[in-house]
Amino acid sequence: MTGKKLNMITQRAVEEGIAMEIGKTSREYFDACNIIEMNELDMKELGIMKNTNVRVTSESGQVIVKAVVARQTVYPGLCHIRQGVWANQVVPPRTQSTGAPQYSGFPVTVEPAPNEKLKTALQLVQGAVGLWKGE
Amino acid sequence: MPKVIENVGCPYCGCSCDDVRVTVSDDGKKVLEVENVCAIGTEIFKHGSSDHRIRSPRLRQPDGSMKDITYDEAIEWVAQHLYKAKKPLMYGFGSTNCEGQAAAARVMETAGGMLDNCATICHGPSFLAIFDNGYPTCTLGEVKNRADVIVYWGSNPAHAHPRHMSRYSIFPRGFFTGKGQKKRTIIVIDPRYTDTANVADYHLQIKQGHDYELFDAFRMVVIGHGKDLPDEVAGIKKEKILEVAEIMANARFGTTFFGMGLTHSDGRNHNIDIAISLTRDLNKVAKWTIMAMRGHYNIAGPGVVWSWTFGFPYCLDLTKKDHAHMNPGETSSVDMAMRDEVDMFINIGTDAGAHFPIPAVKQLKKHPWVTIDPSINMASEISDLHIPVCICGVDVGGIVYRMDNVPIQFRKVIDNQGLLDDETLLNRIADRLDELNAQGA
Amino acid sequence: MSEIIIKNGYIFDPISGIKGDKADISIKDGKITDKVSSKAEVIDASGRTVMAGGVDIHTHIVGPKVNLGREMRPEDKLFRGSFRGGILKQGKHMEMGFSIPSTWKTGYSYARMGYTYANEAAMPPLMAPHVHEEIRDTPIIDISAMPVFGNNWFCFEYIKNKEIENNAAYVAWLLNATKGFGIKIVNPGGTEAWAWGDNCVTINDPVPFFDITPAEIVKGLIETNEYLGLPHSIHLHGNNLGNPGCYETTLDTLKLAEGYKPKNKFGREQVLHNTHIQFHSYKGDSWGTFESGAREVMDYVNSNKNITVDIGAVTLDETTTMTADGPFEYHLNQLNHIKWANVDVELETGSGIVPYIYDKNIKVCGIQWAIGLEIALFAKDLMRVFLTTDHPNAGPFTRYPRVIKWLMSQKAREATLDTMKYKDKVIAASHIASMDKELGLYEIAMMTRAGPAKALGLSSMYGSLAKGADANIAIYDLDPTNIPSDPELIEAAFQNTAYTLKEGVVVVKDKQIVAEPHKYTIWTKVNMPENAQVMHDVKEKFTKNYTVNLENYAVFDEHVHNPRAIEVEVA
């Protein structure tokens, strides 16, 4: 495996906020939220090209997202997926007995997956509960 | 003639801006233009009069499709299921006015169920810290009129609260702050170089998850043990810590705004607890306040309403019917979901389908799932019943609580065109439950 | 419509001067009347004490700081449901909380004690919609709320410039905007100073940047109040509360009222109400030399008829202190180091909250307890000295029956003194042990309904059994001709009425809530010409300094519940 352990955080972004209000099934939401923001050094090390897909795997699940270098930079070893459907495929539900899941600061393995397809929000969520009727 | 409505409240983030100008069509059914609002707020008002808006409750059919039903049928469905359920959970209230939140309290007290709000996955850890350590805070106008030092710690208003910096904190010129940003020192503490860090005087790029240590270091300096600091704490050099602590201690009026960066990371409530302790320490040498960057325009609301109703702000267990119980970890939504303890789920004014970790969604979906929300979202698209309602600030008014717990009176700008508001819907469910309880007794 | 006759009770009604005579009370359509038809429903009050519904002149039961107290103190939910001595659900909603009960428990508990009116003592104007939301959810009792003015930037400016007419127009505007009742002042100037971490501890300490002193603020607001002729006087929590030696500041403060005469159509005779005076009656120069200043303070109060006070009695409970006196709460927290909340409110006020345990094993707490009772026992005119605990500051309002017991029974006071670890030191630093005075039911009726109603300017409606008053009535299981020798039975009788009637509706019967009829929000509507200067100033401040738009500031009509306006005309 060509993956690397990184520390994942998932937080808000204004693009995500706008897209969410347009609608979670919209193209805008799809574009805003299925990306992982990484440090360039990590991408180089992993052989990930900008704007190509990667697989992110955590203790509780995995998701395909598109890797980008963001304006709001992260240091090497840290990565970020905007809050929402894609992030929550990998966010661990453990709460340290507070009620709040581990949305930030959980280990993930990131590996290149240039040939994997991104799934839509509906595909992911309906798929998880056996309601997805599409392909 | 189109009509201009001024002083409209924006139902997006915890800034709860109340200066929006909305132009509506002659028939009062369409929003034509929105001014004085951020990009996100604009979308809400646009969506409010979108042709795609769902206007009828929809019930899932055996083949998986959704079929329109009447509000009466939907109310009966919810009441019957609540009556049968032993431990139903109603969760959400990120976009519900206080009147709706009070009616929800009535429903779940009558049903004998669990009642929780989005704070449980956002600032719930802040509540835990407040329970232990108090909350020395202020209204946002105090920041505007007095503050000369502002700290954003684990919060990124440039993205999550777009007008926060211009209306309340960094830029406005207030009574004692006539020079605005020029006379303010802005400190951003965040592991990312965020767009907020970009406008700060100091960005401390803290090592993710090590906030507690850095707070502790600041406390050491304020208490007078700065020289004992190690050379580096949480990725920040000692000299930088001493320099920033000096600025804090010399503030005329300082405010720390903190966000999900603290409550979602390791330590959770302990990060907030020590943030409050630092604020207490700073008040021995300066004037200092602290404020949670509440996410939604009225997510402070359920904590306020349920505190006066039951004495607890969230994670309420009302199953005993004659008294309320709260114990986050035990009575919190995600924890209950993961233990598969609830036997019915009502998602209201939020989208648990998108914002809960997916394992929790799968667990909840084992049981009847109702979504009460104006929009099509992930929750609505996996629910058994979706009941659309008015959008507060768009087609219903009401009281909301800003992030500083200041009540803001929201207006209705367009006609509700047959949609029920949360309060009416929930009270009708409660009325029906009262009847069922009376029949059962 | 409905008619009720309460037969053969012993009536205590200071407003009518009835001192325990056996008589009937007739009710028609929610009002007291002189006779009813034979069809009237009969309530048998024989062998029982009958009083008007209680009137609480100073209590913190609704609003932001009360609620932050509830929120930050989950441990206050001590008495739950059927265990730990809690209350089983009686009314429409469960009852939660001890020192800061839920709104539902608040209304039910007042009603069970025979109270039907409560005056919320501090409403931050900016937060008025919150206060009115909680009023909506507080059952049975009528509520008024007083906006705070003692640290308000508008008032500072007008009073500094000696513009009483403008200040009056501003006050009238704000009472209307907030649906408020009267002028509350908390630590004048000191809370504004606290926004910089400072305080005003004497009446002459200048307020930072505003070039005004607490003395000027108090006098300016007395003049404003009498200019308007409001039903109530200024309602004052003065400077330097709670510190050893503060009684001198209190006397300085009370003297500010000298020379002022009440001007109103409501029968009110005072120009200054000094609230929770127990907290302002401390001698000594440290906690070590702390002692009672009740005699000195009450000597002054007794000889000055234009002053009323409420006692703020310490009940020896674990409670939650909360006040708009921000610096006081900070300093209290420096003493006990428990959790501390603070909320500074833009242009208007501030507040603080600190849990506090009045431990009978701590000397100072014992002396504070003694002072609260001494205030009432030294009083010469109980129509000017009212029973409160400054709920929840000196103790929860649900302890009023216990305070009544202490005031009516020296034996009960001695029994409590005997439980104190430092009994001898408490006795040495107070007067309580040597006081053998015991109040009677008529005096209790003065302190708990007739007096407060008169001081609020509401005695034609509340606190009275005279014809035309609202039929708010408490019937206690207490035979005045045979007061029990066990003082605990006195407390028990006042804790739960045999009957409470609210506007002619039986709301409590045999200690149980049986009805939750509609209730009123009382506010003062001043009718006066609009003042262009003041409206200009208001607009300017909202444009420049507030973070809420002016048009969203005044409470919308739909958020005020069953308003009942007391009207005042100013030419």
Side-chain angles (χ1 to χ4, degrees), chain B residues 179-336:
Chain B
K179 296 215 158 55
Q181 186 193 12
K182 279 187 206 139
K183 289 284 182 186
R184 287 196 180 97
T185 307
I186 313 303
I187 300 157
V188 170
I189 300 172
D190 202 297
R192 287 192 294 160
Y193 183 71
T194 59
D195 288 330
T196 306
N198 193 31
V199 298
D201 300 291
Y202 292 86
H203 173 221
L204 306 190
Q205 190 160 26
I206 187 173
K207 207 169 141 195
Q208 197 282 329
H210 291 255
D211 303 273
Y212 194 94
E213 292 152 50
L214 187 58
F215 276 118
D216 210 25
F218 282 130
R219 288 194 73 192
M220 279 180 71
V221 182
V222 173
I223 291 166
H225 302 293
K227 65 178 189 324
D228 298 336
L229 282 181
D231 292 340
E232 191 177 301
V233 177
I236 311 299
K237 296 270 182 263
K238 178 179 181 179
E239 296 70 42
K240 188 62 79 180
I241 294 171
L242 291 172
E243 185 185 347
V244 170
E246 180 78 7
I247 292 167
M248 290 180 179
N250 285 317
R252 198 163 65 151
F253 187 107
T255 303
T256 304
F257 293 106
F258 65 94
M260 303 289 96
L262 295 183
T263 63
H264 282 170
S265 300
D266 281 343
R268 305 283 203 288
N269 51 308
H270 301 289
N271 298 329
I272 316 307
D273 192 89
I274 197 167
I276 295 166
S277 290
L278 174 62
T279 309
R280 289 169 64 149
D281 293 343
L282 281 164
N283 271 291
K284 290 180 184 157
V285 295
K287 172 73 187 193
W288 207 273
T289 54
I290 186 165
M291 194 183 299
M293 296 286 281
R294 306 303 302 271
H296 303 291
Y297 71 97
N298 190 30
I299 197 53
V304 170
V305 174
W306 300 344
S307 286
W308 82 59
T309 311
F310 302 116
F312 304 120
Y314 75 138
C315 292
L316 284 148
D317 177 350
L318 305 173
T319 57
K320 306 291 187 293
K321 293 196 177 183
D322 67 357
H323 70 275
H325 168 65
M326 174 198 70
N327 186 22
E330 177 204 344
T331 59
S332 34
S333 295
V334 171
D335 293 292
M336 288 190 294

Side-chain angles (χ1 to χ4, degrees), chain C residues 166-186:
Chain C
N166 286 343
N167 199 45
Y170 171 72
V171 168
W173 175 79
L174 197 82
L175 291 176
N176 183 50
T178 61
K179 296 296 176 280
F181 180 68
I183 298 177
K184 176 69 186 300
I185 306 167
V186 180

Side-chain angles (χ1 to χ4, degrees), chain B residues 7 18 109 131 135 137 139 141 144-146 167 280 287 304 307-308 311 322 401-402 409 411, chain C residues 67 71 77 88-89 93-94 103 133 137 192 194 339-340 342 344 346 547 549 551-552 554 556:
Chain B
N7 310 299
D18 71 331
E109 184 177 349
F131 297 159
Y135 194 46
T137 188
T139 68
K144 168 179 163 171
N145 287 312
R146 299 185 202 266
R167 266 174 75 81
R280 289 169 64 149
K287 172 73 187 193
V304 170
S307 286
W308 82 59
D322 67 357
Y401 288 82
R402 202 166 67 180
Q409 301 173 92
R411 293 159 197 276
Chain C
N67 208 46
E71 182 179 304
K77 269 49 81 173
L88 285 168
K89 196 161 165 176
H93 291 273
M94 61 175 70
T103 53
E133 277 207 285
D137 282 355
E192 165 58 30
W194 173 242
K339 52 195 168 185
W340 167 55
N342 178 79
D344 297 337
E346 60 208 64
T547 55
N549 276 14
E551 292 76 5
N552 295 329
F556 295 178

